[in-house]
C-alpha cells in the first residue's frame, strides 16, 4: 500500500522581493495529524513561509499544494475556506469585542445568509446564528477554565496575555481547519504558561486531529511537541529531522551562534 500524500507540500518554493531571495527553493511537507516545527534565527524566512501558505505573498517560483490541490497565489479567504488557519506573531484580536464575538467573527466567511436575510431575521439567518453560537461555545470549551464561563462576555482587552494567545488560537479553530499554522505561540510567556501551551498544542492534534505547522524559538516547546523539525537560515532549509538531530546539527549551531560557539561563549 502506498503512503498517504502529504496534507501540505511546498515544492521548490521561492519568494523574492526584488533582488532579495527571502525563500529559496524550499521543499517542506506536513502529513495528516503531524506537528512540524520550523526554527531558525531572526530573518531566516519563517514568517514569510506562513505568509506564502496563507496567500499574503504570491510565490515567485515553485508551488504550494494543500490536500493535493495547488493553492499558490490564491486569496487568503479562499485558502481559509479550504481548511488552513493561522495565528500571528503579534496578536490580531478585536480588543473591544467580547471573547465570544472574537471567535464568532471567524465563522462568518462560511455563512450563506444575505445581509437582507440577517436584517430581517429570516429562517436561514436565524439557523446560521444558532450554529455559529454553538460552534463558538464548543471551541471555547476546549480551552477549559482559561476561556470559560464569565470570560465569554468579557472584552478581549481584559484578558491576560496568555489568554489572549489562547483566544487567537480559538478564533483560528472556529474556521474548522485541517491545518493550523502557529506563529510563536509561546512568545512572551512565563515557564508555567509555556508548559500549558505545549500541552495545548499536543491536544489540538491528539483530540481534534488537526495537523500543525509551528514557528517557535523556545526549544523546550519545540522538543515537547515536534514530530519533525525543519531549520531555515536566510530562506534556505539547512536540515530537517528529529529534534535531537536538528538541534545538534553543525549548520544549525552555526546559524544561531556563529562559526565558533566556544569563542563566542568565552567573549
Amino acid at each position: 500500500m502506498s503512503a498517504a500524500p502529504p496534507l501540505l507540500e511546498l515544492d521548490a518554493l521561492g519568494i523574492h522581493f526584488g533582488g532579495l531571495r527571502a525563500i529559496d527553493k524550499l521543499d517542506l511537507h506536513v502529513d495528516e495529524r503531524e506537528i512540524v516545527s520550523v526554527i531558525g534565527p531572526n530573518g531566516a524566512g519563517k514568517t514569510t513561509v506562513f505568509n506564502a501558505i496563507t496567500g499574503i505573498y504570491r510565490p515567485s517560483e515553485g508551488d504550494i499544494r494543500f490536500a493535493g490541490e495547488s493553492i499558490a497565489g490564491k486569496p487568503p479567504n479562499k485558502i481559509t475556506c479550504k481548511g488552513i488557519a493561522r495565528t500571528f506573531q503579534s496578536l490580531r484580536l478585536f480588543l473591544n469585542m467580547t471573547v465570544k464575538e472574537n471567535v464568532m467573527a471567524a465563522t462568518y466567511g462560511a455563512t450563506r445568509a444575505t445581509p437582507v436575510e440577517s436584517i430581517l431575521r429570516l429562517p436561514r439567518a436565524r439557523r446560521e446564528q444558532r450554529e455559529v453560537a454553538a460552534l463558538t461555545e464548543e471551541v471555547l470549551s476546549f480551552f477549559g477554565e482559561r476561556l470559560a464561563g464569565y470570560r465569554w462576555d468579557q472584552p478581549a482587552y481584559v484578558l491576560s496575555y496568555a489568554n489572549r494567545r489562547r483566544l487567537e488560537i480559538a478564533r483560528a479553530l472556529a474556521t474548522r481547519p485541517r491545518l493550523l499554522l502557529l506563529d510563536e505561540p509561546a512568545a512572551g510567556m512565563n515557564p508555567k504558561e509555556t508548559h500549558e501551551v505545549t500541552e495545548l498544542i499536543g491536544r489540538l492534534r491528539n483530540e481534534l486531529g488537526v495537523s500543525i505547522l509551528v514557528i517557535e524559538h523556545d526549544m523546550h516547546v519545540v522538543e515537547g511537541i515536534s514530530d519533525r523539525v525543519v531549520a531555515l537560515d536566510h530562506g534556505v532549509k539547512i536540515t530537517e529531522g528529529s529534534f535531537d538531530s536538528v538541534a545538534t546539527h553543525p549548520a544549525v549551531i552555526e546559524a544561531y551562534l556563529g562559526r565558533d560557539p566556544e569563542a563566542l561563549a568565552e567573549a
Side-chain angles (χ1 to χ4, degrees), residues 133-177:
L135 173 61
T136 298
E137 293 180 6
E138 176 187 340
V139 168
L140 288 171
S141 296
F142 181 79
F143 295 81
E145 64 180 14
R146 298 299 187 183
L147 294 178
Y150 70 94
R151 296 190 191 276
W152 289 0
D153 296 318
Q154 288 184 323
Y157 68 79
V158 308
L159 297 178
S160 68
Y161 177 79
N163 281 341
R164 291 185 190 185
R165 284 280 179 190
R166 292 184 179 95
L167 178 56
E168 191 170 43
I169 295 173
R171 189 175 60 185
L173 287 177
T175 67
R176 299 184 183 275

Side-chain angles (χ1 to χ4, degrees), residues 219-250:
M219 290 299 109
H220 294 294
V221 176
V222 175
E223 182 179 17
I225 64 174
S226 304
D227 298 311
R228 193 158 39 86
V229 179
V230 176
L232 302 183
D233 189 27
H234 293 93
V236 177
K237 180 169 69 176
I238 52 180
T239 188
E240 73 173 294
S242 67
F243 173 82
D244 290 338
S245 66
V246 171
T248 57
H249 194 284

Side-chain angles (χ1 to χ4, degrees), residues 59-255:
S60 305
E61 60 185 6
D63 197 11
I64 304 171
R65 293 184 290 274
F66 180 70
E69 177 186 352
S70 177
I71 59 171
K74 291 186 180 296
N77 63 306
K78 299 294 185 183
I79 291 173
T80 298
C81 289
K82 289 184 180 298
I84 298 178
R86 72 173 293 182
T87 65
F88 292 85
Q89 184 176 351
S90 300
L91 290 168
R92 304 288 180 90
L93 297 174
F94 300 109
L95 294 178
N96 288 317
M97 291 169 58
T98 68
V99 168
K100 284 186 69 174
E101 288 169 344
N102 265 275
V103 177
M104 292 171 70
T107 69
Y108 287 115
T111 58
R112 295 292 177 263
T114 66
V116 172
E117 288 175 310
S118 297
I119 291 170
L120 297 179
R121 301 281 298 162
L122 295 182
R124 179 163 66 169
R126 295 200 306 271
R127 183 183 69 252
E128 288 187 339
Q129 188 68 23
R130 291 193 298 270
E131 292 170 352
V132 165
L135 173 61
T136 298
E137 293 180 6
E138 176 187 340
V139 168
L140 288 171
S141 296
F142 181 79
F143 295 81
E145 64 180 14
R146 298 299 187 183
L147 294 178
Y150 70 94
R151 296 190 191 276
W152 289 0
D153 296 318
Q154 288 184 323
Y157 68 79
V158 308
L159 297 178
S160 68
Y161 177 79
N163 281 341
R164 291 185 190 185
R165 284 280 179 190
R166 292 184 179 95
L167 178 56
E168 191 170 43
I169 295 173
R171 189 175 60 185
L173 287 177
T175 67
R176 299 184 183 275
R178 294 178 63 187
L179 174 66
L180 184 59
L181 311 183
L182 301 177
D183 195 343
E184 297 193 32
M189 294 188 180
N190 61 40
K192 181 177 184 295
E193 293 165 342
T194 298
H195 177 72
E196 289 179 352
V197 81
T198 301
E199 291 185 334
L200 173 63
I201 293 170
R203 289 181 59 220
L204 291 171
R205 188 265 303 276
N206 297 336
E207 298 179 24
L208 302 182
V210 179
S211 302
I212 302 173
L213 185 62
V214 185
I215 294 171
E216 186 52 67
H217 284 294
D218 190 318
M219 290 299 109
H220 294 294
V221 176
V222 175
E223 182 179 17
I225 64 174
S226 304
D227 298 311
R228 193 158 39 86
V229 179
V230 176
L232 302 183
D233 189 27
H234 293 93
V236 177
K237 180 169 69 176
I238 52 180
T239 188
E240 73 173 294
S242 67
F243 173 82
D244 290 338
S245 66
V246 171
T248 57
H249 194 284
V252 174
I253 295 172
E254 179 180 323

Side-chain angles (χ1 to χ4, degrees), residues 253-254 256-267:
I253 295 172
E254 179 180 323
Y256 275 98
L257 299 179
R259 293 186 176 275
D260 190 353
E262 294 183 358
L264 184 65
E266 294 171 359

